[in-house]
Amino acid sequence: MSNDTFRDLSQNPLVQRLGVPRIPVLRRYSPGQPLLDGPALVSAVGAGRNAEQIRALLKDAGVADAGAEGKVAAAVLDATGARTLDDLAAAREFLTPAVRRLAPSGRLLLLGPEPDPADVEASAVAQAFEGIVRSAGKEVRAGATANLLVVHPDAPPAAADSAVRFFLSARSAYVDGQVVRIGVPVGQAQDPIGMDSSAEVDRPLAGRVAVVTGAARGIGAAIADTLARDGAIVVAVDVPAAGEALARVANRTGGTALQLDITAPDAAERLLAHLRERHGRVDVVVHNAGITRDKLLANMDADRWNAVLAVNLRAQLAINDALLASDVLSDTGRIVCISSTSGIAGNRGQANYAASKAGVIGMVRALAPRLAERGATINAIAPGFIETEMTGKMPLGTREAGRRINSLRQGGLPVDVAETVGWLGQAESGGVTGQVVRVCGQSLLGA
């Protein structure tokens, strides 16, 4: 947990009487937790085609239908068939009372249409839902979130299931104001789900082999822990200097440790050889390793520039090239690259770091079509202010500013990034590729 003294003090009724705003305590996932802790409200506007699938999903998860009154844990609107301004007005008729009924840590989830270039009004309406959800994310309170899934017209209803589960669950506690596009699942033309229907919801990664770079500490260690919790066999990778911490992660997760400098010329070859020898394949590749060497651009030297680009981008490019040229990546391979909101919004003194993280986003978009040809996906996650050992050493004012400039008014935790990695790493998430998902509490930076 984070050491957020102000958030903790804000829970005190005496402090609240002084007019201090309450910082919500977010509902986060723990094994065995129900999908939602209350009823859900589900509706559709236009010729929505996903509402019945969502109702069936919620029923299977034991979530009750909401009545006409009372608080709801989630409000879901299927607007995939919305094409006119009248449909948009109908959406407002649902959303206005639904938002008022959201319980603490509630979930507002919209499913919207892809813009239709042949229909100007339909395209305007499709884009309008982005404005609605980004505004709603700034308005909902008490830890609630608002997100939008844009569903391709050819995507079968079940293609959105993994995303619906993720965004409704406590796993998405720090993901707010996001737009994710759901396409036709790659490599699964006949089977849109792409996973055994008997797979346990609580262990969606059961049996999948996952490699995590930079796994010795911080966000990387949280990713390894979370993937192992969800059933994955974890290969934890980090530099030899971090060997002791890396071994602890591997032991804790029941996985293996691979001491490897990913910037070495033979790093990709050694990594693939390890995976082939130990497991015969890899299902999830998480490019998490990263460094900072901050300096104003006017004073940036070649060593700082080259070191950051080598770890944060060049190594990922080399490993991905090796995976594409090999048979090690499985038919439901999922590559997840850790970018940063700095790569979207930039950051003073971090031109090298922002370049590397923006480069990761460009790499993801370019590789998505190539990986889709073999049934694999690649996505990026852009964390915002995440409470780590590094942020704990920041000056108080800088740290407090980082925590509060988002809709949830607090920093995220490493597990928030890890939960998003786990969702994108599922075989069932084949409809999501080439995307950037921000885990930032809807940060005002780069919004």
Side-chain angles (χ1 to χ4, degrees), residues 15 32 70 88 153 163 166 174 191 204 215 260 281 287 297 311 317 374 396-398 401 404 409-410 431 438:
V15 174
L88 203 59
F166 173 73
Y174 202 61
D191 178 10
L260 179 68
R281 72 180 198 284
H287 291 297
L297 184 57
V311 176
L317 286 164
R374 56 190 296 174
L396 177 61
T398 303
R404 309 306 168 202
R409 293 174 291 162
Q410 60 193 283
R438 291 172 49 163

Side-chain angles (χ1 to χ4, degrees), residues 41-357:
L41 194 62
V42 180
S43 188
V45 297
R49 61 190 186 280
N50 287 75
E52 289 308 312
Q53 177 75 14
I54 293 169
R55 289 190 181 99
L57 184 155
L58 293 174
K59 182 178 180 181
D60 288 345
V63 177
D65 291 332
E69 298 180 355
K71 292 294 185 180
V72 297
V76 185
L77 178 65
D78 176 10
T80 52
R83 299 186 65 84
T84 69
L85 289 177
D86 288 341
D87 291 332
L88 203 59
R92 199 282 311 165
E93 290 179 8
F94 168 81
L95 292 169
T96 295
V99 167
R100 289 198 296 261
R101 296 178 62 183
L102 274 185
S105 289
R107 297 288 183 262
L108 179 64
L109 183 63
L110 278 64
L111 282 73
E114 283 272 13
D116 181 357
D119 188 324
V120 175
E121 184 174 357
S123 292
V125 167
Q127 191 69 30
F129 283 104
E130 292 199 24
I132 291 171
V133 83
R134 295 188 194 282
S135 297
K138 293 178 170 67
E139 294 179 6
V140 293
R141 291 290 179 260
T145 62
N147 292 286
L148 171 66
L149 305 179
V150 176
V151 183
H152 191 279
D154 295 331
D161 280 3
S162 74
V164 169
R165 288 194 193 96
F166 173 73
F167 281 104
L168 291 183
S169 76
R171 297 175 189 262
S172 61
Y174 202 61
V175 184
D176 192 15
Q178 294 300 291
V179 178
V180 171
R181 284 167 169 77
I182 309 293
V184 177
V186 298
Q188 303 292 338
Q190 303 303 317
D191 178 10
I193 297 180
M195 68 183 294
D196 185 342
S197 61
S198 64
E200 297 179 53
V201 172
D202 286 342
R203 288 172 59 82
L205 301 175
R208 287 174 72 74
V209 178
V211 59
V212 182
T213 67
R217 58 179 58 84
I219 291 174
I223 292 171
D225 288 339
T226 300
L227 299 188
R229 180 205 68 194
D230 286 353
I233 302 162
V234 175
V235 178
V237 179
D238 216 316
V239 292
E244 188 175 330
L246 186 67
R248 287 196 295 270
V249 171
N251 291 337
R252 186 170 67 240
T253 59
T256 59
L258 175 61
Q259 296 185 19
L260 179 68
D261 179 352
I262 61 171
T263 66
D266 64 344
E269 179 183 342
R270 288 175 57 195
L271 175 60
L272 267 62
H274 178 90
L275 293 167
R276 184 180 288 109
E277 178 184 342
R278 295 292 186 94
H279 306 287
R281 72 180 198 284
V282 65
D283 303 296
V284 184
V285 178
V286 185
H287 291 297
N288 167 74
I291 62 171
T292 58
R293 297 289 186 270
D294 295 354
K295 203 75 171 178
L296 291 175
L297 184 57
N299 301 317
M300 182 69 67
D301 57 83
D303 287 344
R304 284 185 173 86
W305 182 274
N306 293 335
V308 169
L309 271 293
V311 176
N312 297 5
L313 183 56
R314 191 183 298 275
Q316 292 193 30
L317 286 164
I319 292 171
N320 289 340
D321 282 348
L323 286 168
L324 277 166
S326 77
D327 60 355
V328 175
L329 188 65
S330 75
D331 292 339
T332 57
R334 304 288 179 253
I335 301 176
V336 184
C337 308
I338 305 303
S339 179
S340 169
T341 52
S342 292
I344 297 170
N347 204 9
R348 187 175 187 273
Q350 288 195 322
N352 52 355
Y353 183 75
S356 70
K357 294 303 186 178

